[in-house]
Amino acid sequence: MASHINEIAKETLIKLKERKLHPTPENYSEVFEECAKKAGVMSFNKARIEKYTNLLDDIYKQELKRKNIRTIDEFLMFLVSRLNRQVSRKYEDVYALLGLIIQQLSISKDKKIKELAQITQHRLSQAMDLETIYLLRVKWKELEKSYEDHEFLKKLEEFNIRAFLDFHTLIEKLIVMLKERSYEKQAELLLASLEPLFGESKEVEQFKQNLKDNPRLIARKEFAHEYCLMLQKKEAIDKYYIQKNLSFFNQHLENLNEMVSKLYDNSQEDVKFINTLTKDENGNVQINFDTLKDKLLYANEQIAQIKTQIQATSDDEQREQWNLAQELKKLDENYKLYVVNYALCFFKINNIEHIINTYGLDSFKTISEKFKKILKDLCKNTAEIWILDESSYLVILPGKNLESAQIFTEQALKLIDDYKFIYKEEIVKLALSSSCIEKKEFPEGDILKELIQKSLL
C-alpha cells in the first residue's frame, strides 16, 4: 500500500512539472487527489470529507452530491455559505411573519391595537436599530398592561354579558340585544298597550299608524307626552264604553230583581193559600181547579218574563239600541235645558236581499264594512255613527243644524257612489235611501222615529 502511495506521489510531481505548477500544498493536494482517484485510492482529505458528509442531514448530502468538493477548505466553505444562507432566510421568514401579523392587527376593530399596529408596521424592517425595537416593545408592553379594561367589562356585565370568546362573538351578542331594544321592538310593545279593549278612536288609530310606519318617532322629545295623552284617550274610551254598558246591565238587573221579588211574593201567597186548606174526614183536600190553574199560569207568566229579561240582557243589538236611546235622551235634555240643537242622518241599503242572493253574503259583508268605514271617516271626532241593523246606519251630529246634516249626507252619498263595488268584473249597484232631521223641527217628539218615517216616504 505504501509503495502504491509512493507511486501516486511520484506521478503527482511529474504532473505538476508537466503543468508547470509550483508544488504548493494546494496544487499538490489537488493533483494528488486526481492521481489517487485515477488509481482507485481514496485520499485522506476525501476520507475526511466523506466522514463529515455522512454526519450531515439528507438535504445537505443531496446538495453536496451536486458540487465537486475536493478539499476540507472547500467543504468548510460550503458549510459556512449554507449556514449564512439559512440564517438570512430564517430572518427573512421571521420578518415576513411579523409583517403579516402586524398587517392583520392594523385592520383590527379595536382602536388601541389598530393604532399601535400601524405605528409598528411603519417602523418594522430588518434594518431598524435596537432603540426602535426597544421603544416598540415598551409600547406593546404598556398596551398589554392597560388592555384589561375592567370598567368596560363591568358595563358589559350590566347587560348580562360576562364572558365572550372573541370580538365577533361579543358583537353578535350586542346586535341581538340591540334588536331587542330597537325602535321597532319598542313600538311593537307600545302599539299593543294602545289597543282599546272596547271602543274606537280615530285619533288613537292615527297615532298607532304613524308609530307603526315610523318607529323612530319614539326618539322625539315630545313622544312621551303624546303617548301618555293617547293612553288617557284610550282609557277614557274604555271607561265610557263600560259606563254605558254598566248602565244598561244595571237597569236590566233592577228589572230582573223586581220580577224575581214579585215571583217570590206570589210564591209566599201560594204557601199561605196552601196552609189555609183543610182536610175532610178522609184526609183529602178540596180545592177549586180554576183557582189552581190561575195560580200556575200566573207563576209561568212571571217566569217567562224573567227569561225574556235575561235574554234581553245578553242581546248585543238590544244593548246598542238602549245605548242609542240613552244618548238621544241626554241630547234631548241638553236641548230642553240649554237649547243645544243636534241633527240626525239616516242611511239604508234597500237592495240587501238582492245583493245577498246575487253576489253572496260575503260580498254584502264587504260592502257593509266599506259603507261603515266611509261614514266613520266622515264623522271624525265631531259625530257618532250607530248601527241600527245590518243595512241601516244612523249618524248623530251634536250641535249641528239641518243644513249641516244635509251637507254631511251629500258628502257620504257621493263618496259611496264614487267607490266601485266590483264582483267578478261586474259593478254592484247599491239602492240607497237617506234622510236627515234636526231637533229644532220636533222639540217635543221622538226625533229618531220621525226620521225613520221620513225616510220611508
Side-chain angles (χ1 to χ4, degrees):
M1 181 67 180
S3 61
H4 198 55
I5 295 298
N6 290 333
E7 291 177 1
I8 293 172
K10 290 177 182 179
E11 187 178 354
T12 300
L13 292 172
I14 292 170
K15 285 188 176 295
L16 285 171
K17 188 175 180 181
E18 290 175 351
R19 297 174 182 175
K20 297 179 181 182
L21 296 173
H22 296 289
T24 61
E26 292 80 6
N27 292 337
Y28 182 86
S29 177
E30 182 179 349
V31 175
F32 184 85
E33 289 290 336
E34 181 183 337
C35 294
K37 184 177 181 181
K38 187 176 180 182
V41 177
M42 182 179 292
S43 67
F44 177 71
N45 283 341
K46 188 71 173 177
R48 289 176 66 192
I49 291 171
E50 186 173 334
K51 174 184 175 182
Y52 293 132
T53 300
N54 291 332
L55 296 176
L56 297 175
D57 291 338
D58 291 339
I59 296 174
Y60 294 100
K61 290 178 183 178
Q62 293 296 329
E63 194 169 343
L64 281 169
K65 285 182 181 180
R66 295 192 296 270
K67 296 183 179 296
N68 186 21
I69 302 296
R70 292 171 296 182
T71 65
I72 292 296
D73 288 341
E74 290 178 354
F75 181 75
L76 291 175
M77 288 178 65
F78 164 77
L79 292 179
V80 170
S81 174
R82 190 65 176 78
L83 181 61
N84 285 335
R85 282 191 287 117
Q86 181 180 2
V87 172
S88 176
R89 174 68 182 277
K90 183 176 181 181
Y91 276 115
E92 289 175 0
D93 290 345
V94 169
Y95 272 98
L97 176 60
L98 285 175
L100 180 60
I101 293 171
I102 296 300
Q103 181 182 359
Q104 293 301 311
L105 291 176
S106 67
I107 59 175
S108 171
K109 301 298 185 294
D110 189 297
K111 184 180 178 182
K112 295 179 181 178
I113 292 178
K114 180 178 180 179
E115 290 178 351
L116 186 53
Q118 288 175 342
I119 293 172
T120 305
Q121 186 180 28
H122 178 68
R123 297 181 181 178
L124 183 66
S125 71
Q126 295 186 37
M128 64 182 181
D129 54 25
L130 293 175
E131 183 180 358
T132 302
I133 296 173
Y134 173 76
L135 292 174
L136 287 174
R137 185 168 64 247
V138 169
K139 288 183 177 295
W140 281 103
K141 280 287 185 183
E142 290 175 353
L143 178 62
E144 179 188 15
K145 292 178 182 178
S146 63
Y147 196 73
E148 286 293 335
D149 194 336
H150 297 291
E151 289 297 323
F152 175 70
L153 295 176
K154 189 175 180 181
K155 290 178 182 178
L156 287 178
E157 287 183 1
E158 294 177 3
F159 294 95
N160 202 28
I161 299 178
R162 292 181 172 82
F164 52 91
L165 298 176
D166 55 25
F167 176 79
H168 293 286
T169 304
L170 172 62
I171 294 301
E172 286 174 0
K173 287 185 177 181
L174 291 176
I175 288 173
V176 171
M177 297 179 72
L178 283 172
K179 287 181 178 179
E180 291 176 351
R181 292 165 170 78
S182 66
Y183 289 128
E184 288 76 12
K185 194 70 174 179
Q186 294 179 50
E188 184 181 339
L189 296 173
L190 294 177
L191 286 171
S193 68
L194 286 173
E195 193 67 37
L197 296 174
F198 305 109
E200 295 181 357
S201 167
K202 284 187 66 65
E203 189 177 355
V204 174
E205 289 302 319
Q206 186 61 52
F207 181 85
K208 287 168 59 180
Q209 189 61 48
N210 292 341
L211 183 58
K212 186 176 181 180
D213 295 339
N214 184 15
R216 291 187 174 274
L217 291 174
I218 295 173
R220 294 170 60 246
K221 291 182 179 179
E222 304 84 359
F223 179 80
H225 177 67
E226 293 171 354
Y227 173 71
C228 289
L229 290 178
M230 290 303 107
L231 276 180
Q232 293 171 4
K233 185 81 173 177
K234 171 221 171 188
E235 290 175 1
I237 293 167
D238 288 336
K239 284 179 181 178
Y240 177 68
Y241 181 90
I242 291 169
Q243 286 172 356
K244 286 201 305 182
N245 284 277
L246 283 177
S247 298
F248 171 80
F249 286 117
N250 180 63
Q251 181 184 4
H252 281 273
L253 285 173
E254 287 179 356
N255 294 339
L256 190 60
N257 183 60
E258 184 179 350
M259 292 178 184
V260 172
S261 178
K262 287 181 179 179
L263 181 61
Y264 177 77
D265 293 340
N266 185 63
S267 66
Q268 292 298 107
E269 290 179 3
D270 290 342
V271 170
K272 291 178 182 178
F273 171 74
I274 291 171
N275 289 333
T276 60
L277 297 177
T278 56
K279 298 178 181 180
D280 59 16
E281 56 185 12
N282 294 322
N284 297 321
V285 176
Q286 298 295 324
I287 184 172
N288 185 283
F289 177 76
D290 291 335
T291 302
L292 181 60
K293 180 182 177 182
D294 290 340
K295 289 185 176 294
L296 291 173
L297 289 174
Y298 183 69
N300 285 335
E301 182 183 345
Q302 289 182 313
I303 292 171
Q305 289 177 354
I306 292 173
K307 184 177 180 181
T308 302
Q309 185 68 34
I310 292 172
Q311 289 175 344
T313 306
S314 59
D315 191 322
D316 291 339
E317 186 174 334
Q318 287 197 31
R319 184 164 67 252
E320 185 77 4
Q321 291 176 359
W322 185 86
N323 286 331
L324 173 58
Q326 295 300 309
E327 185 70 20
L328 293 175
K329 182 180 178 181
K330 184 167 57 176
L331 291 171
D332 287 342
E333 290 176 355
N334 284 338
Y335 181 79
K336 290 177 182 178
L337 293 174
Y338 310 110
V339 196
V340 178
N341 194 19
Y342 69 91
L344 302 180
C345 300
F346 177 78
F347 301 90
K348 183 176 179 62
I349 304 174
N350 294 318
N351 58 339
I352 174 175
E353 292 184 3
H354 170 74
I355 292 173
I356 293 173
N357 294 334
T358 307
Y359 307 106
L361 182 60
D362 289 340
S363 296
F364 177 74
K365 287 181 178 178
T366 302
I367 292 172
S368 179
E369 288 300 318
K370 184 60 183 179
F371 200 108
K372 285 186 286 186
K373 186 178 187 307
I374 290 173
L375 292 179
K376 284 182 178 179
D377 290 343
L378 277 174
C379 288
K380 297 182 180 178
N381 295 322
T382 59
E384 293 184 25
I385 177 173
W386 295 79
I387 301 171
L388 301 181
D389 55 44
E390 60 185 0
S391 62
S392 302
Y393 308 91
L394 177 72
V395 175
I396 301 176
L397 301 168
K400 302 296 182 180
N401 56 18
L402 182 60
E403 183 181 354
S404 298
Q406 289 171 342
I407 293 172
F408 180 92
T409 302
E410 289 173 3
Q411 289 177 337
L413 292 176
K414 185 177 184 309
L415 287 171
I416 293 166
D417 186 60
D418 290 344
Y419 189 87
K420 302 301 181 184
F421 299 99
I422 300 175
Y423 178 81
K424 294 183 179 180
E425 299 183 355
E426 180 183 349
I427 297 177
V428 181
K429 294 292 184 180
L430 299 183
L432 301 176
S433 62
S434 64
S435 60
C436 49
I437 197 172
E438 64 177 347
K439 180 61 181 176
K440 192 188 296 184
E441 289 184 75
F442 299 92
E444 301 298 332
D446 186 341
I447 186 173
L448 178 59
K449 184 177 178 181
E450 293 289 343
L451 176 65
I452 295 174
Q453 288 179 351
K454 184 179 178 181
S455 67
L456 298 175
L457 297 178

